[in-house]
Amino acid sequence: MRPFIFRLSFLLSLAIFPVVIKAQEKMISPAKINSIKLIDLGGKESRINLSKAVVFVFLSPECPLCKNYLPGLVKLHNANKSINFYGIIPGTSYSLKEINELKNEYGINFSLLTDREKRLSKYLGATTTPEVFLINKMGAITYSGLIDNWATSLGQKRLVITEKYLEQAIKDQLNGKQTFKKTIPVGCLINDI
């Protein structure tokens, strides 16, 4: 009986091992995230606390696709108060006044922070606006990429959205499902300015 249990344990560990490796590849350091200096709309330094799940949405005030997604992101935030949403504006191209105007125009009720040095953008590997990252409270990136499949490429959109990637990833996380998914974002590239 003992050899059977040992073999079964060994086979199970082989089956589970790739999942563990995959999860580890998508881990971030909460201490590293907390050490990154971000600026809030009042011009004050702000830090991210990963004591609960977080959605980072990389945004640009002049990106048409970002503007199109903002009403839906506000609704998604309102429906999921147990998750902190942060809009991240990378670089130095936009003033706090421009970002405040965007917030007021679209009724954004989640935190908007600037990543002037693009340290958070680089750490997470963000390349595009809009691009989202869902991170659980243990620091695992459970989803990154597109908000949904509406935009298929720059200037090309579907008539009907058939995949709501971020919404589904949030549901999975809240229901205790451990999923790790990545899609390739479509939008405006984050530049070096």
Side-chain angles (χ1 to χ4, degrees):
M1 183 72 171
R2 228 177 205 174
F4 173 75
I5 292 173
F6 175 76
R7 278 188 249 149
L8 182 60
S9 298
F10 178 74
L11 290 174
L12 283 174
S13 68
L14 287 178
I16 293 171
F17 186 70
V19 174
V20 172
I21 294 297
K22 186 175 181 181
Q24 289 175 344
E25 291 175 345
K26 304 209 183 272
M27 295 295 288
I28 55 103
S29 164
K32 173 72 173 171
I33 294 288
N34 191 39
S35 74
I36 295 174
K37 183 175 107 174
L38 302 167
I39 305 298
D40 69 16
L41 295 184
K44 295 179 181 165
E45 190 174 308
S46 184
R47 308 273 180 186
I48 302 294
N49 183 346
L50 289 175
S51 61
K52 63 181 185 176
V54 172
V55 170
F56 290 117
V57 183
F58 287 84
L59 299 168
S60 166
E62 67 181 12
C63 175
L65 201 51
C66 288
K67 291 178 180 181
N68 288 329
Y69 273 115
L70 283 171
L73 287 167
V74 168
K75 284 181 185 174
L76 194 57
H77 169 254
N78 289 339
N80 295 284
K81 293 294 187 180
S82 63
I83 296 177
N84 286 334
F85 277 64
Y86 295 95
I88 306 296
I89 292 84
T92 58
S93 296
Y94 307 103
S95 69
L96 293 178
K97 181 181 179 213
E98 290 171 299
I99 299 167
N100 268 306
E101 288 171 358
L102 179 75
K103 178 179 179 155
N104 294 334
E105 182 178 349
Y106 289 91
I108 301 169
N109 58 354
F110 49 84
S111 296
L112 291 178
L113 304 170
T114 61
D115 183 17
R116 299 247 182 242
E117 298 169 8
K118 293 190 279 179
R119 289 179 59 210
L120 181 61
S121 309
K122 289 175 184 170
Y123 183 64
L124 293 176
T127 59
T128 309
T129 61
E131 183 172 1
V132 297
F133 292 82
L134 174 61
I135 302 171
N136 69 20
K137 65 182 178 181
M138 294 183 300
I141 299 174
T142 58
Y143 177 71
S144 67
L146 296 162
I147 296 166
D148 58 33
N149 70 346
W150 178 52
T152 57
S153 63
L154 282 178
Q156 300 291 315
K157 296 173 187 78
R158 295 177 188 273
L159 293 175
V160 177
I161 297 167
T162 58
E163 296 284 339
K164 295 182 179 183
Y165 302 119
L166 178 58
E167 185 176 329
Q168 186 60 53
I170 289 171
K171 284 180 185 174
D172 287 348
Q173 186 164 304
L174 293 175
N175 290 328
K177 291 183 184 176
Q178 190 171 9
T179 59
F180 301 92
K181 187 171 182 173
K182 180 177 177 73
T183 57
I184 306 300
V186 173
C188 304
L189 292 178
I190 295 174
N191 59 37
D192 287 331
I193 296 175

